[in-house]
Amino acid sequence: MPELTVSVKSGSYPILIENKALGVQAGRMAAGCCRGRRAVIVTDLHVANLYEKTVAQSLSMAGFTVDSHRIEPGEGSKNMATVLQIFDTFHLAGLTRDDLVVSLGGGVVGDLAGFAAATWLRGTALFQIPTTLLAQVDSSIGGKNGVDLPYGKNLAGTFHQPKAVLIDPLVLSTLPLRRVAEGRAEVIKSGLIRDAELFLKIEQQMDDLEWIIDRCVRIKAGIVERDEQDHGERMLLNFGHTIGHAVEQVTGFQTWSHGEAVAIGMITALKIGEHLGLTPNGTANRVRVLLEKTHLPAQMPELPSGAVLAAVSQDKKKRAGKIHFILLRSIGEAFVHPMTEEELSEALTAVWHHD
């Protein structure tokens, strides 16, 4: 497939989707990201065992001196203590503003590497190489990054666009089925908010990963180009995330993966939309059937709605006293529906079955 280009106010960058690109294209793309020739790969211990050597060799062949920083896999690593450890590696490697941070991994690695790159020396070039479906179709594109704080998810973060994104669909063959399923939650979300044809193809069990990834990337890239700083249309990408992040927080990031929590959040948002008369009746059930086929949670968990609402009240998307909640007018058409905490509490209580 040809390279796509994302054009935003802060610059433009290529996205390459290509099988076997990891070792062949990583060095070439990295060389176009920065003037320097020093790189630090940020990855996790699991991905390092699979792909770090391949990427490091490609970077070395392109003239880079390569160091790496490996984190423990999982959301528990996404905190400021880990960022400080990454900074130590940057310091010891002599990383300058002309050099490169390479994110090799899933969403947690991408968030940490992006945040570290954005804040090291007030901004260092970032090259995203996502290795999970969730990161390939969503989090590696658009420049958002974040670190969890004790009182909420992603509450510390920046906008820092990558200089390039390399997506190799073949790396997904090493993912556990649960990780593939959670990535499909973001694929389903893309169809629900912006592409009814994509949703229908997934519903019909079409499994052409290159086509699916390309379609999702184009949706995300287009929205980011039109709204880089999350002031309008880009909010639609948060469909399912307001409740999903709250579920993650209430359960201590231990019970549900991010994609699974987003699936719960999407079902909840659809039921709220139906309750308010803003989403056609039956939409939630149609999506529930697809989530179950995809091995994703399709029911609201046995958590107190009050605890979920308390976590939602800390959501970073709260503005001017209202939570910008995302609902569907129909499959393929999402919209922003500002709600006060009281309005959301009433709607959530009405659809949340486990108090």
Side-chain angles (χ1 to χ4, degrees):
M1 288 184 177
E3 289 184 0
L4 311 175
T5 300
V6 179
S7 298
V8 290
K9 289 180 180 179
S10 58
S12 63
Y13 55 93
I15 302 174
L16 176 65
I17 305 169
E18 182 180 296
N19 288 329
K20 300 181 180 179
L22 204 66
V24 177
Q25 301 285 7
R28 176 189 70 81
M29 294 188 77
C33 290
C34 61
R35 293 191 296 269
R37 284 298 177 267
R38 185 174 295 279
V40 174
I41 299 171
V42 179
T43 187
D44 68 36
L45 293 170
H46 176 67
V47 175
N49 290 332
L50 294 169
Y51 303 120
E52 184 187 306
K53 183 177 179 180
T54 298
V55 172
Q57 287 178 340
S58 186
L59 293 171
S60 295
M61 290 178 65
F64 284 88
T65 299
V66 183
D67 291 276
S68 66
H69 184 95
R70 305 176 187 95
I71 67 167
E72 290 289 338
E75 189 77 23
S77 291
K78 211 172 83 174
N79 54 54
M80 292 301 298
T82 305
V83 172
L84 292 176
Q85 292 166 4
I86 294 172
F87 285 162
D88 286 344
T89 298
F90 289 176
H91 172 68
L92 292 172
L95 200 72
T96 73
R97 293 180 71 180
D98 289 331
D99 294 319
L100 184 64
V101 176
V102 180
S103 169
L104 176 66
V108 169
V109 167
D111 270 355
L112 283 165
F115 185 84
T119 50
W120 179 252
L121 304 178
R122 296 192 177 95
T124 308
L126 173 67
F127 179 22
Q128 287 275 11
I129 307 179
T131 61
T132 66
L133 180 58
L134 188 152
Q136 289 182 351
V137 301
D138 184 57
S139 60
S140 65
I141 302 156
K144 268 189 180 181
N145 56 71
V147 178
D148 300 339
L149 300 179
Y151 28 88
K153 184 179 171 74
N154 293 336
L155 291 185
T158 72
F159 286 94
H160 187 64
Q161 298 288 348
K163 296 296 184 182
V165 181
L166 187 159
I167 297 172
D168 185 343
L170 291 183
V171 304
L172 303 180
S173 64
T174 58
L175 284 180
L177 291 178
R178 185 181 180 190
R179 291 290 169 253
V180 175
E182 74 161 329
R184 287 188 178 273
E186 290 288 351
V187 172
I188 292 168
K189 181 206 76 176
S190 295
L192 287 172
I193 66 169
R194 193 48 101 219
D195 191 338
E197 182 185 356
L198 171 61
F199 182 84
L200 182 62
K201 293 287 189 183
I202 300 300
E203 210 172 27
Q204 294 171 343
Q205 300 186 43
M206 190 272 254
D207 208 31
D208 183 343
L209 269 180
E210 278 194 85
W211 184 89
I212 290 169
I213 293 169
D214 180 75
R215 193 86 167 201
C216 292
V217 166
R218 289 178 187 275
I219 292 170
K220 178 76 180 277
I223 291 174
V224 168
E225 286 182 334
R226 293 185 292 273
D227 181 19
E228 182 179 2
Q229 296 291 319
D230 209 9
H231 295 306
E233 184 183 4
R234 188 166 179 171
M235 292 182 187
L236 302 182
L237 295 168
N238 293 318
F239 178 64
H241 285 61
T242 299
I243 298 296
H245 285 170
V247 167
E248 286 183 272
Q249 184 178 340
V250 170
T251 55
F253 303 101
Q254 297 296 316
T255 305
W256 309 105
S257 70
H258 174 67
E260 290 166 343
V262 167
I264 293 167
M266 290 193 293
I267 283 293
T268 307
L270 290 167
K271 290 190 173 183
I272 286 174
E274 291 183 10
H275 170 73
L276 296 174
L278 300 172
T279 302
N281 288 332
T283 307
N285 189 59
R286 182 179 173 185
V287 175
R288 178 189 61 78
V289 171
L290 179 57
L291 292 175
E292 288 178 345
K293 287 181 180 178
T294 313
H295 307 292
L296 287 162
Q299 304 288 343
M300 287 169 280
E302 295 186 11
L303 298 170
S305 61
V308 174
L309 188 69
V312 167
S313 70
Q314 303 296 322
D315 193 278
K316 61 186 178 300
K317 294 175 285 295
K318 184 177 178 182
R319 298 179 184 179
K322 290 191 175 183
I323 295 165
H324 286 67
F325 206 74
I326 311 303
L327 299 175
L328 296 191
R329 286 195 181 91
S330 63
I331 288 176
E333 185 181 0
F335 67 101
V336 180
H337 184 64
M339 304 174 75
T340 64
E341 285 189 43
E342 292 75 17
E343 290 169 338
L344 181 56
S345 176
E346 180 181 339
L348 184 61
T349 301
V351 304
W352 198 270
H353 302 300
H354 304 290
D355 276 312

